[in-house]
Amino acid sequence: MIGAMMASSYNEDGHITVSGPGGGTLRSKKPENTAFKQQRLPAWQPILTAGTVLPAFFIIGLIFIPIGIGLYVTSNNIKEFEIDYTGEDVSSPCFNCSQSFSWNSTRPCTCVIPFYLEQPYESSVFMYYGLSNFYQNHRRYVKSRDDSQLNGDMESLLKPSKECEPYAMNENKPIAPCGAIANSMFNDTFELFYNDPNGTKVQIPLSNTGIAWWTDKHVKFRNPGLNNPNLTAAFQGTTKPVNWRRPVYELDSAPDNNGFINEDFIVWMRTAALPTFRKLYRIINKTSNMVPTLPRGNYTLEVVYNYPVRSFDGRKRMILSTISWMGGKNPFLGIAYITVGSVCFFLGVVLLIIHHKCGNRSNSADISN
Amino acid sequence: MARESEDPAMTKASKVKRQRKKKPKENKTRTVHANILYDNAKGEENPNRHYANNEIKTTKYTLLSFLPKNLFEQFHRFANVYFVFIALLNFVPVVNAFQPELALAPVVFILSVTAIKDLWEDYRRHRSDQEINHMDCLVYSRAERRYVEKYWKELRVGDFIRLRCNEILPADVLLLSSSDPDRLCHIETATLDGETNLKQRQVVRSFYDLDCDFNPLKYNSIIECEKPNNDLNRFRGYIIHRSGRRDALYKENLLLRGCTIRNTEEAVGIVIYAGHETKAMLNNNGPRYKRSKLERQMNVDVFWCVIILLVMCLFAAVGHGLWMFQYGDKRPVFDVLSPEGTDLSPIMSAIYLFLTMIIVFQVLIPISLFVSIEIVKICQVYFIHQDMELYDEETDSHLQCRALNITEDLGQMQYIFSDKTGTLTENKMVFRRCTVAGVEYSHDANARRLAMYQEMDSEEEECTSHGGTLPRRDSVTSHQSARVVLRSQSTKSHRRTGSRAEAKRASILSKHTAFSSPMEKDITPDPQLLDKVNDCSSQMDFMRFHSQPTSQLPSDLADIIDFFIALTICNTVVVSSPNQPRQKVRMRFEMKSPVKTIETFIRRFTPSRLTSGSNNSSSSSLITNRSSNKGCSSLLSSPSAESTLTKLDEEQTPRGLEHAFSPVPPCYDGKGWNLEEGELRYEAESPDEAALVYAARAYKCSLVGRLPDQVTVELPHLGKLSFELLHTLGFDSTRKRMSVVVRHPLTDQITVYTKGADSVIMDLIRPPDTGSSKGKRQKKIVNRTQNYLNLYAADGLRTLCIAKKILSKEQYACWLQRHLEAETAIQGREELLFESALRLETNLHLLGATGIEDRLQDGVPETIASLRKAGLQIWVLTGDKQETAVNIAYACKLLDPEEEILTLNADSQEACALLLEESLHYIQAKFLCSSTEQATKSFHGSFAPFEIYSSSSPSSHSSSHTAAPFTVHRLGLVIDGRTLAYALDKSLEDKFLAVARSCRSVLCCRSTPLQKSMVVKLVRNKLKVMTLAIGDGANDVSMIQVADVGVGISGQEGMQAVMASDFALPRFRYLQKLLLVHGHWCYSRLANMILYFFYKNAMFVALIFWYQFYCGFSGSAMIDQWYLIFFNLMFSAFPQLITGTLDKDVSAETLQQLPQLYVNGQNSEEYKPYMFWMNMIDAFYQSLVCFFIPYFAYADSDVDLFTWGTPITTLALFTILVHLGIETKTWTWMNWLSIAFSIALFFTVALCYNASCPTCYTPSNPYWTMQRLLQDPLFYLLCVITPLVALLPRYFYRACQGTLFPSPVQVGRQLDKLPAETRRNILSLSRVKVGSPLSPKPPFLSLTKPSPEVCNKKDQRSFPGSKTSQGPVLQTVQQSGRSPLGPTDTERGLSDLYTLLPTEIDTLPYTKDAPPLSGGPHPPSSQDSECLDKTLEAADLSLSSWITSTPLLTQTDSVQLKLPPDGDSQCVTYTRSSEEGLKSDHSVHPAQRTEQAADQSLHTIL
């Protein structure tokens, strides 16, 4: 198209068009009579009037309301329990711990929080930690990492990208993992106990695998020194992030969950979208069909309180939740669907009225007149 | 462009060089030496070396210079600089938002698209240059002593080249030799000026008498001529021979580059200008660049976007500062220090953030908008090009868009300024009638014949449309028009219909020829006149044989024969035979060189020779001399028969009176001559010349040959007569006439035949001495002729007067002496020649006058009617005289017989001021007085059907007319050139505009090209409206250039108008589709696309803006930078381009049937300033929805930044696409495909991108995000609900708008949906219904002030369909007629008069050929006439007496208001005329009739 255009415009440039000795081109310049060139392509021409859009509104209403109800019910069936253990309040068991601001206090502070579950949790339960007012999405924070290093690249391990600045080097040693994200990794630990009605305290087994994306654990994050079982050697010459207590190769005892492929670490590295977020901490797997994963009753949460949030007015929470096909508990979508469906239905009615009042008039004026 | 800048530099350089070593005087000229003299010196010595060589290079770039030069040019566009700035900003670490390399991508993309386009264009230019540069030509080589083939590019100034027939000239060449016996060379200049007739060029005079072979080696003259310039019609210089003799050079000696040699076997010339210095190259200015109104408006909004951008950035910066501030010294872990590890103060980081935000939000300034608009415009131009309905088969040409970037302006025109001749009319002159010696020959049969053509045209079209294409056949051989048209195809194909369709086919067969159509050729002679001609010539024949002096012939018969001789020879028509169109018919009975020196004159016209004719030694020696020359050339070209024949002739030549009557053997020219003489073809420079020659041929006075020194005419009974052509004083627009000086073969008298505009010729007529009876008769003839002339003019015919003058030898000798001086003068030659012509053309004897019809082009009245319905004001600016112009205006419905005409003729500034004042008062009084009555009556019952539109139409009009205190009334304004000159004065222009804008149509007669452009400029600048100028001739160029859109008619009058225009149309009627359909489409498409662009970018950017509230205003984006950058460029780019190119809001048919829809574009209704803001608001709303629905859906979840951002991107894409869907009016498969493609592209890119590299794309690192999202049901749920919620308001609004207050365009669209038949029915009704509220008349109907009665009546008449629609409309008119509440009697009287008179005219003889207008004058209803009874009688009386004698019929429907010539006439105003009513009005008429001195007094004709 453009080519053809230019040909003609070009001739109009005033060039002497070279024609044969006869001085004439015999081919007629008559444009081709094709639907495309004559702009007569078959077309659908919707006209938006009350009459024509009416059905759409009603159909949307009719479809959305049931979907909304379904979503709402699904969301409501999800059981969720949340404890804020920030310790702002003096009465809170974690108050003392929260007074510490230091990242690297040698003495771990532990607080014990009892709580009561009113409903039994039948299926697998996901244990989250939640942070509020934590801007993991800050532009400079998000960038502050070195993906190559995390992918096990030896060169980057020893020479972290400048994106990690100012958390790239410490005491002239490269930090592994470098960057602000890793540096600020959440380091509280939870233990959950079920207070048996008998009075015994049963520790609930928390699984720390399967909490990260499979691709992250197996593709994105790799330990340096391929298949080197000795992580300590692999991380030779690097130093731990400033705020960390242990080097990265001591995050977990299990070799397939240590170093960069430690799932807690991977989960933390996936920066949250919003300042209030939760991250998966552990999974309480369903053991058998007969017994609920978490029966109704009293529980104790033991928190090793390390992570300071008071400097930015943050909050820390522990959440227990079951999930459904649509994720965690969130009634919003269901309500949204119901609302939108109803609004559409209502607008449909309004249009119906308009159509009856005015549509007829204009139509008759247009057509019969 | 580069060339242009190059050329001056080059010439400057050469100038400087020459200045150094030569006399400064020579700087003004160019000196050309023959190159062969310097061949060995190679450059150093060659005086021509400074001149440009013949290699042309129109390319802008070379391989090396392309990149820098192209980039430099592109950075002239501010937007590009801005985007590069932003991209570079990204390289600053503190503020960078994206990966710097990635941020460069859009800019690089945009720049490279443009660069590739430029490169491609340049490459094509280069290829064409190469092709041209490598064409062959024969150049004389000194070494080889012969002509050798060389490439064009090797040609140098000063080279001798030999040109053969049909060769294209490689450079501007001075003609030194020609194989033509007359030393002529014929060229076709179609490539230069589009004129297809042959032009004669003459060998330089000093080489005229050379032997047959020109030997370059003997050439040793020096040529001194003008510097290169672009004036095609001027060339001056002289040639200095070794002897020191100087010979002048004219444009007739110069062959221009690009022309084609025709009819000439061989020619030799010397190159004067080469390459870029040739006139053809200097003339070509390349395409034009204009900025359209829409783009200007768009730029304002781009500016607003910048403001919005800055506000958003500022907001974010302040927010960031505050956010930082709240933490105080406690630095949170997520607030990362700057890379240097330094702590940033809140203020500093706010400043940095401001810059970052500019980068992040850059998308708001639509980088791709400019490129997209360019692409869409190119596509639009392509489609306009391809429109079959804009293709003219007759000329095999279609519309050309020469300006590529103002297509949408076509949809916004408000004023059209049109030329008349050749634009509204065909410029095909058809002889209609004539008057000879005071007797009128009305040529009724001819008129009937012409009427038939029209009928046949329509039938033919019908037939062809049904029967497909007819077999092409050679219709050239027969030209008799058929009287009957048979409908059967088979018979038809064997008949000659002679209609236009026929002419079309003929012209397809014989392209590149300028032959008149049969319509112009086949003139049916008036039997009476034919008899007289026969009679006369037989008498002359008789007298010749009896050697009686022809002066005994009765003077009227003598006049008749002279009249036809004048028609035949007083022109520059070239005769050619049909079978070899370009082969000139040669008939040389006598060989004489033209009278070039006084000696030859004396030699030839010595009385001895004239009386005895026995002795002519001198001339015979000349003849032998020439005949040897002839023999030589005849070997080359002329058939041997001819040469023998000429010799034969020569022997017989000098035999006194007899010599002219050579018995020509019938076998003159082989087969060519066997054909009837009617087969000769005439090629004329102007079509009226040809028309007259054809007319004369119809009376058997045919032109059979024309040579530079002789014209041969065949007369009935008399056979062939050769007139020795002594001089031709060509036509010029100042003299307005042309003359030939010939020696009459019968009387041997030197006769001057003059043909020219009646106004000038009538003044040059010898005042008859009233004493003698002959003188009385003469006077009577003059008076009668004047009457007929007026009549013709009133009929819309072009009038020409024919006169003659007999010179005595002494007079001639005396004149010749001075004329020759003038001819040879070098300084001021034109002026001297002009004066010389003036001296000759005096004391003429009037022979008669002709009326030539310049036929209206097909469909002009319809086009004008529908353009006017479209709300366009049409002004006609013509050079024609008032009467002709007014009548053409009536014929093409520009003026309505029911309209009042305001005629402004003043001959002083004050008078003009007064007239304007008067008119203004009149208009105000007439149209504003009864506003109170109006209020009570406006709700007339008949307007009930308009009601549904009342909500929309007044608003649109009030908005468009708020600036205009005047509305358009049913008034016509006629102003002549002189008055126009006064009116255009600074002091009066405002008043003039005030008057003119309230008139529905304006007609400026006798206006000069400059005035035309001044009028356009005035209207354009003062009224701030969009103007379109359309014209076809060189005199329209200035107007075309001044107007917003210039349209050239690529018709008969050359290409100058086309060269200056933005669009070139083959015919005027195509303007309708161009404006109403393509203009409308282009405008609405682009307007919608631009609005959509703004919306799209704002909506997308706002998403990120909302996010700033949730990321501490840190400039973070949840949308991956790839999506962010490529969203505009790729993902959402195609559908809008498709919609911008293909969307049709209303179908072409409806747009043409309902021209009122054009108002949409005039009022810029698709894109008003508030719409930008509405779109912005909508964009912000939609982005809020697209942001917050995912926000709440993912609130307090473990979603990460980009897993959350990707759905938002997807939702935005969906929303944007569906939004486009709502705005798309027609869905073709291309729309579907483009949307599907966009979505597919997005997902494909996303999936590939997210799977390609786990570590590469910092910071987002979206590995496997999309893949996971696609497994998430929540994602799909979001995809359904979010676009829906986002678009619900718009969708709902559109639906309500479509029902409650549909715009006219929507009504049109609804009509589109109906089946064709129903639609036709409705449209026929809606002429009345839909038409009124939409056209610019509604304010007149409902808002403004005419008295309701007048109003109703006029409305009823304005719609042709109203008669058939019967019912309510007519009834109401009758009611209102009866209504006692009418205006005052006088007012009614006035209005009635206006309507009455035209109906009277209808019966008059001279208006009958004005096509009966369907909606035009129709008998007033009985009620109307009843109330007129009392006035009727008076009117009748005065009219009947008046009409018979006064030819200015057009003024019948006017009330005249005669003002005394002196200035203090304010007392005589419109009030007087209305008070005295009819009586006073009519008493004026007789006065006007007798007193042509009306010119003296200024009179308003209202």
Side-chain angles (χ1 to χ4, degrees), chain B residues 1117-1137:
Chain B
M1118 70 294 193
I1119 297 171
D1120 189 289
Q1121 52 183 355
W1122 274 53
Y1123 303 146
L1124 199 58
I1125 280 169
F1126 291 115
F1127 191 81
N1128 258 326
L1129 235 45
M1130 289 162 61
F1131 304 139
S1132 63
F1134 297 100
Q1136 74 197 356
L1137 287 182

Side-chain angles (χ1 to χ4, degrees), chain B residues 1217-1380:
Chain B
L1217 290 179
V1218 177
H1219 180 106
L1220 182 67
I1222 291 178
E1223 298 299 311
T1224 301
K1225 278 94 181 185
T1226 45
W1227 290 77
T1228 63
W1229 58 267
M1230 308 241 328
N1231 295 80
W1232 293 111
L1233 190 73
S1234 66
I1235 288 182
F1237 177 75
S1238 275
I1239 294 172
L1241 184 74
F1242 173 72
F1243 280 104
T1244 314
V1245 167
L1247 287 173
C1248 294
Y1249 168 53
N1250 287 354
S1252 59
C1253 176
T1255 58
C1256 310
Y1257 312 106
T1258 49
S1260 57
N1261 204 349
Y1263 191 71
W1264 225 248
T1265 307
M1266 191 49 121
Q1267 281 82 347
R1268 271 184 79 100
L1269 274 172
L1270 288 180
Q1271 297 161 18
D1272 183 4
L1274 201 59
F1275 176 69
Y1276 298 101
L1277 287 170
L1278 284 175
C1279 284
V1280 172
I1281 192 171
T1282 316
L1284 197 130
V1285 174
L1287 294 167
L1288 203 59
R1290 178 168 280 262
Y1291 195 63
F1292 183 71
Y1293 171 74
R1294 289 271 177 235
C1296 288
Q1297 188 203 25
T1299 309
L1300 295 176
F1301 35 92
S1303 69
V1305 171
Q1306 274 165 322
V1307 175
R1309 212 154 59 227
Q1310 280 172 343
L1311 282 173
D1312 264 352
K1313 295 276 267 189
L1314 301 170
E1317 215 168 292
T1318 334
R1319 187 169 66 198
R1320 215 170 300 133
N1321 289 339
I1322 290 170
L1323 281 174
S1324 66
L1325 293 171
S1326 64
R1327 283 291 136 77
V1328 188
K1329 191 179 64 85
V1330 187
S1332 321
L1334 302 182
S1335 72
K1337 282 161 240 157
F1340 179 80
L1341 280 181
S1342 53
L1343 297 178
T1344 64
K1345 333 4 217 181
S1347 71
E1349 189 186 76
V1350 176
C1351 200
N1352 289 349
K1353 228 177 281 169
K1354 280 176 180 163
D1355 280 332
Q1356 184 215 342
R1357 283 182 191 113
S1358 66
F1359 306 113
S1362 62
K1363 251 186 182 172
T1364 53
S1365 73
Q1366 8 72 29
V1369 180
L1370 265 181
Q1371 268 175 0
T1372 50
V1373 171
Q1374 290 170 358
Q1375 280 162 9
S1376 70
R1378 287 196 200 98
S1379 150

Side-chain angles (χ1 to χ4, degrees), chain B residues 7-46:
Chain B
D7 280 343
M10 202 179 281
T11 45
K12 204 181 278 172
S14 62
K15 199 195 276 174
V16 168
K17 275 185 190 162
R18 248 177 304 138
Q19 220 162 14
R20 245 188 284 132
K21 64 177 196 186
K22 292 209 174 179
K23 293 165 283 181
K25 186 193 93 188
E26 282 187 346
N27 285 336
K28 286 178 185 141
T29 60
R30 144 178 295 213
T31 320
V32 178
H33 300 256
N35 270 346
I36 47 167
L37 303 174
Y38 303 92
D39 213 20
N40 298 331
K42 261 299 184 224
E44 277 309 301
E45 292 290 306
N46 192 333

Side-chain angles (χ1 to χ4, degrees), chain B residues 129-141:
Chain B
D129 284 350
Q130 284 296 99
E131 201 176 333
I132 288 167
N133 282 334
H134 288 89
M135 296 210 313
D136 289 326
C137 61
L138 285 173
V139 179
Y140 193 82
S141 148

